[in-house]
Amino acid sequence: MKQKHSRFKNCFYRAAKWAEPSVLPFPEKTQKAFYAAALIFTGCSAIGLLFFHVMGYTAETFLPGCYLYRLTGYYCPGCGGTRAIRALMHGHVLSGLRMHPFVVYTVFMMFLFLSTYTLHYVFPERSFPRLRLRPLYFYAAIALILINWILKNILIYLGYWS
C-alpha cells in the first residue's frame, strides 16, 4: 500500500514540475528583449497606419483576402483579424471582439505590458508593478485563436454566421 502512495506522489510531483514553467515568468533578459521588440513594432505600426491613412489606402487595396475562405466558404484561424484591427482603430471594441478576439487580447496585453515597463523605466525611483510575461499568456492567445476558428466555422455550418 505504501508503494502505491509513493508512486502517486512521485507522479504528482512530476506533473507539477511539468506545469511549473507556464506559471513562472520569462527571464528578465527575455522580458527586456520583448519590450524592445514591442516598442519597435508599435512605432512601425503607427508610422505605417499614418502613411496609409494619409495616402488614402485601405486594406482592400493591398490585401488579397483569405484564399481558404474563397475556396471553401470556411474561415481560417486568422480570418477577421484585419477587420478587427480596423474596428479597433475606429474605437469599436465589441465589434473587434466579435470579428477576432485574439486581436483585442493582443492589443490589450501589449498596452499593459508596454505601459507598465515604460513607467518602470521612466520613473526608476518609484516601484511601479510590471506585467511579467508568462508562457500562460501565449497559451491563452493560442486557445483564443483555436476557439474562435472552431466556433465561427461551426456557426457558419449551422447557418448562424456569415
Side-chain angles (χ1 to χ4, degrees), residues 79-157:
C79 276
T82 306
R83 289 175 298 193
I85 291 171
R86 191 178 324 131
L88 285 179
M89 287 174 32
H90 292 286
H92 305 291
V93 178
L94 293 177
S95 293
L97 270 172
R98 181 182 176 273
M99 293 171 194
H100 210 301
F102 168 74
V103 172
V104 178
Y105 172 79
T106 303
V107 168
F108 178 72
M109 291 301 287
M110 190 173 277
F111 173 76
L112 280 178
F113 179 76
L114 285 175
S115 61
T116 58
Y117 261 76
T118 302
L119 284 173
H120 176 75
Y121 288 131
V122 170
F123 302 107
E125 65 277 352
R126 295 186 181 176
S127 60
F128 285 106
R130 292 181 289 173
L131 175 71
R132 305 269 185 188
L133 289 181
R134 291 169 165 66
L136 181 65
Y137 301 150
F138 295 102
Y139 298 148
I142 291 169
L144 264 176
I145 291 170
L146 292 175
I147 290 169
N148 178 54
W149 177 45
I150 292 168
L151 189 62
K152 275 186 181 178
N153 285 319
I154 288 173
L155 291 175
I156 283 176
Y157 181 74

Side-chain angles (χ1 to χ4, degrees), residues 44-101:
C44 291
S45 296
I47 291 169
L49 289 173
L50 182 65
F51 173 75
F52 285 120
H53 180 69
V54 169
M55 296 301 288
Y57 291 123
T58 61
E60 291 81 18
T61 58
F62 63 94
L63 291 177
C66 182
Y67 294 116
L68 183 71
Y69 183 73
R70 240 187 279 161
L71 288 173
T72 64
Y74 290 102
Y75 288 114
C76 73
C79 276
T82 306
R83 289 175 298 193
I85 291 171
R86 191 178 324 131
L88 285 179
M89 287 174 32
H90 292 286
H92 305 291
V93 178
L94 293 177
S95 293
L97 270 172
R98 181 182 176 273
M99 293 171 194
H100 210 301

